[in-house]
Amino acid sequence: MDPLLSLYVQSRPFRGYTAETKRNYATDIALLLTALWARGKTWLEATPKDLEDYEDWRRFATDNPVRVGGSKWDRELAAIASLYSWATKAGCLTRNPVLMKQVVGRNGQVVMVPEQRAADARPSNVHWLTPRTWRRWIDVGLRGHTIEGIPEPGWVGRLEDRNVAFVRLVVSSGLRLQEAASVLTFEVPRRELGGGRYYRGKIAASVTRAKKPRTFYVASEVVGDVESYIAASRAWVIRKAQKTGRYDRLPQMRMLIEVTRGLKPKVRWRGQDGVIGEQELSLLTWQERLLLFEEGPHGPEPLWLWLNERGLPFLPTSWENVFRTANQRCERVLTPPLHLRRDPHQVFAPYATAHSGRHSFALFMLVVLNHLMDQRFGLTPDERRDFRLLYGDPWLMVQNLLGHASREVTVKHYLAPVADLQLRAMLATADDEITEAPMPELDAVFARVARESEGIQDIDPHLVSAAGGAE
């Protein structure tokens, strides 16, 4: 074991990374160490030339069967730069092999960045699905529907209601995977008689990327999905775990005493050693949230919303497997056999990730907000300008919903491909009557947006069925 590498993972910079970043950086650094070892060098002996040769192998060498693109290389370079920056500051190296240069940052400030940054790196990896495509993906991938739109005989979905509720929450609210996956039961908005179409919730600062609390909005019917999950399969796995004494064997458990009210509510708990602890709700990390329980009618119950089949918290990273399995099923069910793994441009099955839900939410809100401002309110161009000056335009609204630091981030990374579309002209033929989310009456609008833009998945279920039946 390299003692210096052990010190690096205990350093303040590394400990400040998210769990996902730590995992990615560890993998990227291990690849570099392996390459240097093949040259007979340790990482402390690396030179700028070694890193140039390593980049050439990773990105351009034809002998490498798993070359990476610019965006992936930039992530690896960030991991490498982090390690060598720490080693240089700690006095382990006299010269940093990662050569740096000055560039002008987004806000006009001068920053230092590695010279080896890729020129062809994509600023973001955007995946959009139109609302009807999400409905198709959920039905086939999570609910086990066939190409004809009916449940497959013998289909047994593992916690199907949980998976559907989670995906619809992400698509409806625009929450990141970590944010949606870390929600506690009492943080979910509750439906009320006579309530509106959308409900408001609060995401704790500690689970957001910016480490700032944020308000989110979620459709009423999605809240209903979550409530149904809580009352059905979630209650069932909890009762099963209680009967087997699984919660009694947990090494750590914090039993909830109370959640205070006020501007900064606090969570108070009692540990297994009897010691009372408390922390601001917004400052509870996702790891601390895993330990929170409350006393139910039959024993301890987790406060973590999403549970696995054993009644234990479903970890955020585990959702990637749910999406992967659903994507594989969509490909198997919706792609005709003769096209399977053939022409990549002939797409029959949608592909989604957790972040696709966030991207799709941004697209959805841009179209809907323009629809509301242009048609529902009947604004003239002058009135629209005044409205924007007073309340902000749809870009600013979407920026706030996504929790971005600036409007420019929203435009550049999420919505730029459709920024030039004349939404008012496209929406002129749309029905002004808006019904329940996800607003199927706007399917034609989103279909047109998808046709005139790149990167937006829009699968017409009627065409898919016809293509599938023809093979």
Side-chain angles (χ1 to χ4, degrees):
M1 179 180 293
D2 190 324
L4 289 180
L5 289 177
S6 298
L7 289 176
Y8 168 65
V9 298
Q10 299 175 52
S11 67
R12 183 175 181 179
F14 191 85
R15 285 185 297 178
Y17 297 142
T18 64
E20 182 180 4
T21 299
K22 290 177 181 177
R23 183 174 62 253
N24 291 334
Y25 276 25
T27 301
D28 297 337
I29 291 173
L31 289 173
L32 173 66
L33 298 181
T34 302
L36 291 173
W37 185 260
R39 287 191 164 197
K41 289 187 174 184
T42 68
W43 65 277
L44 293 173
E45 298 170 327
T47 65
K49 179 64 166 58
D50 291 321
L51 296 185
E52 290 176 5
D53 292 344
Y54 180 64
E55 178 190 7
D56 183 75
W57 169 255
R58 291 291 288 153
R59 300 189 59 203
F60 309 114
T62 56
D63 292 341
N64 183 358
V66 286
R67 295 189 299 273
V68 299
S71 299
K72 176 64 166 63
W73 167 252
D74 278 357
R75 194 197 78 181
E76 295 186 14
L77 185 59
I80 295 169
S82 173
L83 171 63
Y84 280 112
S85 175
W86 168 83
T88 304
K89 292 177 181 178
C92 306
L93 290 171
T94 57
R95 183 188 179 192
N96 188 341
V98 180
L99 301 181
M100 309 294 285
K101 65 179 180 180
Q102 290 183 340
V103 298
V104 178
R106 181 182 299 138
N107 298 320
Q109 77 279 25
V110 177
V111 296
M112 299 295 294
V113 299
E115 287 186 2
Q116 289 180 258
R117 283 204 311 176
D120 61 342
R122 296 174 59 186
S124 62
N125 189 19
V126 178
H127 294 285
W128 285 325
L129 284 76
T130 60
R132 70 175 177 182
T133 305
W134 272 113
R135 296 194 294 269
R136 184 73 166 172
W137 187 88
I138 289 173
D139 286 344
V140 175
L142 301 180
R143 290 184 169 137
H145 286 194
T146 64
I147 196 169
E148 291 80 16
I150 59 176
E152 185 176 55
W155 165 259
V156 178
R158 297 177 55 190
L159 296 178
E160 174 185 317
D161 57 345
R162 179 201 66 184
N163 298 340
V164 171
F166 179 84
V167 172
R168 298 197 69 200
L169 172 64
V170 171
V171 176
S172 172
S173 66
L175 293 175
R176 293 183 176 91
L177 185 149
Q178 180 75 54
E179 297 166 347
S182 307
V183 170
L184 301 177
T185 54
F186 58 77
E187 292 177 311
V188 179
R190 293 288 186 265
R191 287 196 297 180
E192 302 174 359
L193 290 176
R197 180 181 299 163
Y198 283 87
Y199 286 84
R200 183 176 64 181
K202 199 84 168 180
I203 287 295
S206 61
V207 300
T208 66
R209 179 173 294 179
K211 303 305 177 187
K212 295 180 180 179
R214 190 171 86 253
T215 298
F216 69 93
Y217 295 86
V218 59
S220 173
E221 61 180 43
V222 176
V223 176
D225 289 339
V226 176
E227 291 177 345
S228 296
Y229 157 65
I230 291 175
S233 66
R234 187 179 188 275
W236 179 72
V237 297
I238 288 176
R239 190 70 186 106
K240 187 170 63 172
Q242 291 170 336
K243 289 181 178 179
T244 59
R246 183 166 292 125
Y247 298 143
D248 300 332
R249 299 190 296 270
L250 293 179
Q252 288 182 297
M253 179 187 292
R254 294 176 175 179
M255 189 61 64
L256 180 71
I257 298 176
E258 67 171 340
V259 180
T260 66
R261 296 182 178 273
L263 293 177
K264 295 183 178 180
K266 292 184 178 181
V267 176
R268 299 182 69 240
W269 67 81
R270 178 181 291 102
Q272 290 180 315
D273 54 3
V275 176
I276 304 297
E278 69 174 26
Q279 179 60 279
E280 285 186 27
L281 174 61
S282 192
L283 299 181
L284 284 174
T285 66
W286 70 268
Q287 294 91 338
E288 292 176 310
R289 289 164 168 258
L290 291 170
L291 308 177
L292 289 175
F293 282 70
E294 65 179 342
E295 192 63 47
H298 303 288
E301 297 182 2
L303 284 172
W304 187 273
L305 175 60
W306 312 107
L307 305 180
N308 60 25
E309 292 175 299
R310 302 176 65 234
L312 299 176
F314 195 65
L315 298 181
T317 54
S318 298
W319 285 109
E320 297 174 2
N321 295 327
V322 173
F323 279 85
R324 184 181 304 111
T325 301
N327 285 327
Q328 291 171 348
R329 189 173 195 284
C330 283
E331 182 179 17
R332 177 176 61 83
V333 172
L334 299 178
T335 304
L338 292 180
H339 292 275
L340 195 61
R341 296 182 178 85
R342 298 295 183 183
D343 183 2
H345 304 292
Q346 190 81 3
V347 179
F348 295 88
Y351 174 87
T353 65
H355 216 58
S356 299
R358 179 171 167 83
H359 295 311
S360 301
F361 165 81
L363 173 67
F364 177 78
M365 292 306 300
L366 176 66
V367 172
V368 171
L369 288 172
N370 272 278
H371 176 79
L372 292 175
M373 291 179 67
D374 283 348
Q375 293 194 328
R376 173 59 65 87
F377 298 153
L379 300 180
T380 67
D382 289 340
E383 291 171 335
R384 183 181 176 105
R385 183 198 61 214
D386 294 339
F387 188 92
R388 284 178 168 176
L389 290 175
L390 183 61
Y391 298 106
D393 64 9
W395 296 94
L396 180 61
M397 298 178 191
V398 174
Q399 170 203 332
N400 292 332
L401 289 170
L402 294 174
H404 285 163
S406 68
R407 181 182 184 275
E408 288 69 27
V409 172
T410 307
V411 174
K412 178 180 179 181
H413 294 287
Y414 285 81
L415 307 178
V418 294
D420 61 336
L421 295 177
Q422 298 296 319
L423 288 175
R424 281 193 294 174
M426 291 196 307
L427 289 169
T429 58
D431 184 6
D432 186 51
E433 186 65 27
I434 297 179
T435 56
E436 297 182 358
M439 301 171 66
E441 68 278 8
L442 289 183
D443 281 347
V445 175
F446 284 102
R448 183 169 179 180
V449 173
R451 286 197 303 270
E452 300 185 15
S453 308
E454 291 186 6
I456 302 177
Q457 299 180 57
D458 182 54
I459 307 295
D460 189 331
H462 301 294
L463 295 180
V464 169
S465 298
E471 294 295 332

